[in-house]
């Protein structure tokens, strides 16, 4: 091994500093040599759920290929993912109540816990220290330390003070280290405020409407909106002025009209905001609703191919993309947000479940469940750029979600 200094030389006052530099360099080289993870960032990576096999694939959108598979994640028949602040670690919420922290660079499970019997999604707090899970069984929200997945708080959604609990849906993170969620069985919105520590202050808003089925928070974190399955309309809560309580919006849509059977519940999380308009899937109708986000009044309806599931905006806001429930789930339609006309249509395959744009909008990726593939497109030319095999893919989650509210 080479010596750092000659054997015989006049003692130098700078020798201790040189020694420290050399030792530090040696430690750094040794750490690099022993590290199993290649040095790279995560901003161009995404995770894709393979629901049939209980796996998550890591997608490199620069090279348009999968870099690895992470297995052993349980029941992913209805699963979602949120990211840690650094974009390297992700939290997988499984239908079996499993909460799993994964490393998307080393393709490994960091820690996993079965925290409930049936869960429906989750969120990470604004400071990145807490992960909350929405549970169907036993009902309620459980909150965990994001580093260790140790239980921090249990918020039971009891019904009338009895032993039964309401199912929780629409759980999102909100500014101020708050979590907001809705109760399916009792028609309520709750805010759990963790700004003062790990014992939350909980505020309840009752009588918001019948059977809230999903919810969203606007990208600026101001408005929480819950869709209602049991009646027409939605409930809106202004988180800047929560003392005013929820208000009803779109109270009239569909009223008095025969509603089509609902084959799949639409997802509000993927709603589209373009300028001062919001584009929202209508429940049980072949329509996309257009809403003025200043007045929260309906300003238009767009007839579409089938019952919309996701309505998602391209990052530039010029177009929104819509996919559909059975039996029309082989089609994606593209709406021009200026003219409100259908501007394009794709048929990527059977069972298009999810769509996700790259952060700067140069790519869009679609999961095609029944054809066992993930397809990438150029959203400007609508030409395919990649087709990757994956068993029963569903949700696609870009790592830039790490820096976005409500995702």
């Amino acid at each position: 091994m080479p010596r750092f200094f000659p054997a015989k030389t006049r003692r130098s006052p700078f020798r201790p500093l040189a020694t420290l530099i050399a030792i530090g360099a040696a430690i750094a080289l040794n750490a690099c040599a022993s590290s199993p993870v290649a040095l790279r960032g995560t901003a161009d990576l995404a995770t894709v759920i393979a629901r049939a096999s209980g796996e998550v694939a890591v997608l490199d959108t620069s090279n348009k290929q999968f870099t690895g598979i992470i297995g052993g994640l349980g029941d992913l028949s209805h699963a979602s993912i949120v990211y840690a602040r650094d974009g390297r670690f992700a939290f997988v919420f499984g239908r079996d109540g499993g909460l799993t922290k994964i490393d998307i660079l080393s393709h490994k499970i960091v820690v996993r816990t079965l925290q409930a019997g049936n869960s429906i999604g989750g969120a990470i707090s604004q400071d990145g220290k807490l992960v909350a899970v929405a549970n169907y069984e036993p009902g309620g929200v459980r909150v965990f330390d994001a580093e260790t997945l140790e239980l921090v708080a249990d918020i039971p959604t009891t019904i009338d003070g009895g032993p039964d609990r309401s199912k929780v849906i629409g759980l999102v993170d909100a500014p101020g280290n708050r979590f907001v969620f809705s109760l399916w069985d009792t028609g309520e919105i709750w805010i759990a405020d963790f700004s003062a520590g790990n014992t939350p202050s909980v505020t309840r808003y009752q009588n918001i409407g019948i059977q809230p089925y999903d919810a969203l928070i606007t990208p600026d974190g101001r408005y929480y909106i819950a869709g209602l399955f049991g009646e027409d309309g939605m409930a809106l809560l202004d988180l800047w002025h929560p003392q005013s309580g929820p208000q009803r919006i779109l109270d009239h849509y569909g009223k008095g009209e025969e509603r089509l059977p609902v084959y799949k519940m639409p997802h509000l999380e993927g709603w589209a905001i373009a300028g001062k308009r919001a584009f929202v899937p209508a429940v049980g109708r072949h329509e996309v609703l257009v809403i003025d986000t200043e007045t929260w009044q309906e300003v238009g309806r767009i007839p579409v191919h089938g019952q919309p599931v996701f309505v998602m905006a391209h990052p530039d806001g010029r177009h929104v993309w819509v996919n559909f429930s059975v039996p029309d789930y082989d089609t994606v339609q593209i709406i021009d947000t200026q003219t409100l006309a259908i501007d394009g249509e794709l048929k990527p395959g059977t069972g298009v479940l999810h769509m996700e744009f790259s952060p700067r909008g140069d790519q869009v990726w679609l999961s095609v469940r029944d054809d066992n593939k993930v397809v990438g497109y150029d959203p400007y030319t609508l030409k395919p750029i990649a087709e990757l095999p994956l068993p029963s893919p569903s949700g696609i989650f870009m790592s830039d979600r790490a820096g976005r509210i409500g995702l």
Side-chain angles (χ1 to χ4, degrees):
M1 185 174 178
R3 291 177 296 180
F4 295 118
F5 302 100
K8 294 181 180 180
T9 184
R10 184 172 61 85
R11 191 172 184 84
S12 167
F14 300 105
R15 188 173 297 171
L17 177 60
T19 303
L20 288 174
I21 293 172
I23 291 172
I27 291 172
L29 287 171
N30 184 61
C32 290
S34 62
S35 174
V37 180
L39 186 63
R40 64 155 294 160
T42 62
D44 62 343
L45 297 181
T47 47
V48 186
I49 291 170
R51 57 190 294 164
S53 56
E55 297 174 316
V56 165
V58 180
L59 172 64
D60 177 344
T61 62
S62 294
N63 294 308
K64 304 177 184 63
Q65 63 185 16
F66 292 128
T67 64
I69 298 283
I70 305 165
L73 302 176
D75 182 357
L76 301 187
S77 59
H78 189 292
S80 61
I81 293 176
V82 300
Y83 286 90
R85 288 169 63 92
D86 59 9
R88 173 172 177 173
F89 299 100
F91 300 90
V92 185
F93 306 95
R95 193 59 185 260
D96 57 0
L99 170 61
T100 312
K101 182 178 181 180
I102 61 174
D103 184 334
I104 67 172
L105 291 185
S106 67
H107 307 141
K108 293 179 179 178
I109 291 176
V110 179
V111 61
R112 173 174 165 80
T113 181
L114 283 173
Q115 57 83 41
N118 187 339
S119 59
I120 199 67
I124 188 166
S125 61
Q126 185 179 36
D127 65 5
K129 295 181 179 179
L130 301 174
V131 176
V133 189
N135 290 319
Y136 272 13
E137 178 59 45
V141 172
R142 285 180 174 156
V143 183
F144 299 84
D145 181 285
E147 188 70 28
T148 64
L149 295 194
E150 293 180 358
L151 183 66
V152 168
D154 191 353
I155 307 172
T157 50
T158 55
I159 300 174
D160 298 327
D164 295 331
R165 299 183 180 187
S166 172
K167 297 180 180 68
V168 172
I169 59 89
L171 171 65
V172 301
D173 60 285
N177 258 28
R178 294 175 293 174
F179 294 109
V180 189
F181 50 93
S182 297
L183 279 59
W184 164 271
D185 298 284
T186 58
E188 299 179 54
I189 293 173
W190 289 17
I191 299 176
D193 187 339
F194 283 85
S195 60
N198 288 343
T199 302
S201 170
V202 177
T203 304
R204 299 173 58 176
Y205 300 92
Q206 299 176 311
N207 302 316
I208 68 163
I210 300 172
Q211 294 175 330
Y213 66 88
D214 197 9
L216 58 91
I217 190 168
T218 52
D220 60 5
R222 177 171 181 178
Y223 296 104
Y224 178 84
I225 300 172
L228 302 175
F229 182 71
E231 57 184 291
D232 295 321
M234 298 181 178
L236 178 145
L237 179 61
D238 185 345
L239 296 176
W240 288 8
H241 306 286
Q243 69 279 359
S244 299
Q247 67 180 84
R248 291 293 295 272
I249 61 174
L250 303 183
D251 208 23
H252 55 285
Y253 100 81
K255 190 173 291 295
E257 300 177 20
E258 183 178 357
R259 180 178 292 173
L260 296 169
V262 178
Y263 297 112
K264 182 175 175 59
M265 297 296 282
H267 286 264
L268 293 183
E269 180 185 310
W271 80 330
I273 292 182
K276 296 180 180 180
R277 289 172 170 174
F279 296 79
V280 179
V283 178
R285 302 183 62 82
H286 294 187
E287 294 176 337
V288 169
L289 307 181
V290 186
I291 304 169
D292 183 317
T293 56
E294 292 188 332
T295 64
W296 297 107
Q297 299 295 313
E298 180 186 328
V299 293
R301 299 187 190 189
I302 304 169
V304 288
H305 176 70
Q307 291 185 14
V309 176
F310 281 102
V311 179
M312 303 189 73
H314 186 277
D316 67 11
R318 177 62 190 275
H319 293 92
V320 298
W321 289 49
V322 188
N323 70 332
F324 304 98
S325 69
V326 291
D328 303 308
Y329 64 164
D330 64 342
T331 300
V332 172
Q333 288 187 316
I334 300 150
I335 298 172
D336 185 310
T337 58
Q338 288 189 317
T339 65
L340 303 185
I342 304 297
D343 198 34
E345 185 173 288
L346 293 172
K347 289 189 179 291
T350 306
V352 180
L353 294 192
H354 200 261
M355 306 170 290
E356 184 87 333
F357 291 95
S358 58
R360 300 183 71 176
D362 60 311
Q363 302 174 8
V364 61
W365 291 86
L366 289 73
S367 59
V368 188
R369 183 195 62 193
D370 295 359
D371 289 342
N372 299 301
K373 64 182 180 180
V374 175
V375 184
Y377 285 90
D378 180 322
Y380 298 102
T381 66
L382 304 187
K383 293 181 179 179
I385 58 174
E387 183 174 304
L388 307 174
L390 193 68
S392 299
S394 55
I396 304 174
F397 306 89
M398 293 288 172
S399 61
D400 75 307
R401 288 170 173 249
R404 296 162 63 190
I405 293 171
L407 297 176

